[in-house]
Amino acid sequence: MAKITAAITGVGGYLPEYILDNNELSRMVDTSDEWIMSRIGIKSRHILKGEGVGTSFMGVKAVNDLLEKCDVDPMTVDLVICGTVTPDMFFPSTANLIAHKCGMKKAFAFDLSAACSGFLFGLVTGSKYIETGAARRVVVIGADKNSSIVDYTDRSVSPIFGDGAGAVLLEPSTDGSGVLDADLHSDADGGVHLCIKAGGSAYPATEETVRNRWHYIHQEGQAVFKAAVSNMSDVSLNIMQRNGLTPENITYLVPHQANMRIIAATAQRIGLPVEKCMINIEKFGNTTAATLPLCLWDYESRMKKGDNLILAAFGGGYTWGAAYVRWAYDGGDFSR
Ligand code: UT7
């Protein structure tokens, strides 16, 4: 019997309307378009505005986009996983809120906390439910409202992040497409370099935690930069070696969008021309768990059935990994 794999059979996405460009940011902190473009490669990022509007708002939009495009009845979805570090609240989970609002009433739903690797970890987790036959339709979401955790007085962090959500549908396949391999890692040794100190059970919110700005992202940029390049390239090389992938037969590297220089250095280390990388960092910035699905969403119309993709991510924790995905359909063909 042919092996059952989890194919990505559709992609949805959403970016909030408001665009914060480098010129506006330069009026908020001591920075410039020139510095941000040369050191990070970001021109603008989308920001979710509105009182009481959280990550689930964007997740709902992305999932509705996905289900409409694929003409899938929400009641047939078995499982919803949402990678996020900016949940609407501690509980109910954001996945649960999205499932409810999108009418996925028969699904069980949970959040997955792995920072920028959240979607990748969720994709691999969801694929196991498909491979074992425990689920036939899984929705995996990556969504973050980073503007809720960015200190807009900190010039080393504020240019990097933006808000957004992306989602994919996983369904069983026997034609050799889907999530074919993965190499995932975490190491809390790196946790101190990229974290939010307060707001959890160790340091619940107090006047002092707010005064100390402990509810915002703390990032030691250079340490994170080095770890991102070496770890993303190592896991990508491992995936290439294990699966007979070469720079020639890889169609796209789908890298986490944190810094254009990180993407270029990773591509160089694995011997891939940067033209084979999905890149949208310039217009969306780093949307944490949403970068990978938003790349797939952005490039969907260009992809062909059988394309070989390596998805690679690195983020807070540290967490990192890569997955080999063989694309399951041509461009925007939703008649399948
Ligand atoms: O997805 C989450 C993972 N996060 C990442 O992957 C981020 C990885 N790190 C980076 O992308 C980079 O380290 C940053 C973009 C955060 C910083 O770039 P850098 O080239 O490593 O700069 P740096 O921290 O070494 O700072 C160089 C200089 C400093 O000034 P001095 O001390 O040399 O006078 C900074 O104060 O650049 C200054 N600087 C800025 N100048 C203008 C830092 N941020 C800014 C800014 N505008 N926004």
Side-chain angles (χ1 to χ4, degrees):
M1 214 171 70
K3 186 177 182 316
I4 293 174
T5 56
I8 296 177
T9 55
V11 193
Y14 175 75
L15 291 147
E17 267 173 43
Y18 191 86
I19 296 174
L20 172 62
D21 65 19
N22 289 348
N23 292 329
E24 184 180 355
L25 195 67
S26 307
R27 294 193 290 274
M28 297 160 70
V29 283
D30 180 15
T31 189
S32 65
D33 177 58
E34 198 271 322
W35 193 93
I36 300 170
M37 280 306 287
S38 62
R39 304 306 295 167
I40 315 177
I42 297 173
K43 197 89 192 156
S44 59
R45 62 296 281 147
H46 291 247
I47 303 293
L48 184 64
K49 300 271 188 183
E51 177 108 24
V53 181
T55 295
S56 72
F57 177 88
M58 299 185 292
V60 167
K61 296 270 191 194
V63 170
N64 282 340
D65 178 40
L66 169 72
L67 298 181
E68 273 168 34
K69 273 162 73 176
C70 298
D71 196 21
V72 161
D73 176 356
M75 291 293 276
T76 63
V77 174
D78 302 307
L79 165 61
V80 179
I81 302 172
C82 182
T84 187
V85 284
T86 52
D88 286 31
M89 57 197 82
F90 275 134
F91 61 89
S93 72
T94 300
N96 200 345
L97 297 174
I98 296 169
H100 173 69
K101 288 180 191 155
C102 293
M104 299 183 286
K105 300 281 189 186
K106 288 192 175 158
F108 76 105
F110 60 88
D111 286 357
L112 194 154
S113 175
C116 300
S117 310
F119 173 81
L120 187 68
F121 283 20
L123 182 75
V124 176
T125 305
S127 73
K128 300 300 171 197
Y129 279 86
I130 299 280
E131 286 168 17
T132 56
R136 289 195 57 83
R137 280 188 166 150
V138 177
V139 168
V140 182
I141 306 154
D144 272 300
K145 183 186 168 186
N146 289 310
S147 58
S148 65
I149 51 171
V150 164
D151 180 353
Y152 285 98
T153 66
D154 181 348
R155 70 176 182 168
S156 67
V157 169
S158 54
I160 298 175
F161 293 97
D163 302 338
V168 300
L169 181 66
L170 294 177
E171 292 179 287
S173 167
T174 50
D175 70 3
S177 55
V179 182
L180 302 185
D181 193 12
D183 184 13
L184 307 180
H185 298 267
S186 52
D187 181 358
D189 243 8
V192 292
H193 303 302
L194 182 56
C195 59
I196 294 180
K197 189 166 178 180
S201 53
Y203 294 100
T206 61
E207 274 182 32
E208 193 192 0
T209 62
V210 172
R211 201 169 42 246
N212 291 343
R213 309 186 91 74
W214 286 353
H215 295 273
Y216 291 124
I217 296 171
H218 163 81
Q219 177 177 268
E220 292 155 34
Q222 290 191 4
V224 178
F225 188 107
K226 284 182 202 150
V229 173
S230 59
N231 286 312
M232 278 207 294
S233 53
D234 283 356
V235 283
S236 299
L237 283 168
N238 194 23
I239 287 291
M240 286 167 72
Q241 207 170 29
R242 288 204 310 222
N243 296 281
L245 294 169
T246 63
E248 288 70 40
N249 64 18
I250 293 171
T251 318
Y252 286 111
L253 172 70
V254 190
H256 174 50
Q257 310 281 303
N259 186 316
M260 190 51 225
R261 290 185 295 133
I262 294 177
I263 296 171
T266 304
Q268 192 193 18
R269 280 192 178 208
I270 67 170
L272 205 70
V274 81
E275 294 72 37
K276 283 197 168 191
C277 296
M278 289 192 187
I279 297 167
N280 57 21
I281 186 171
E282 183 167 334
K283 50 186 182 170
F284 302 156
N286 180 352
T287 52
T288 303
T291 60
L292 265 47
L294 282 175
C295 277
L296 298 175
W297 181 66
D298 222 10
Y299 280 69
E300 185 186 30
S301 61
R302 298 181 221 179
M303 282 194 281
K304 297 262 172 298
K305 183 176 170 64
D307 280 352
N308 288 321
L309 312 181
I310 293 184
L311 278 59
F314 179 87
Y318 291 143
T319 56
W320 71 97
Y324 171 29
V325 172
R326 189 173 297 144
W327 200 243
Y329 57 96
D330 288 336
D333 174 15
F334 298 107
S335 56
R336 58 198 180 279

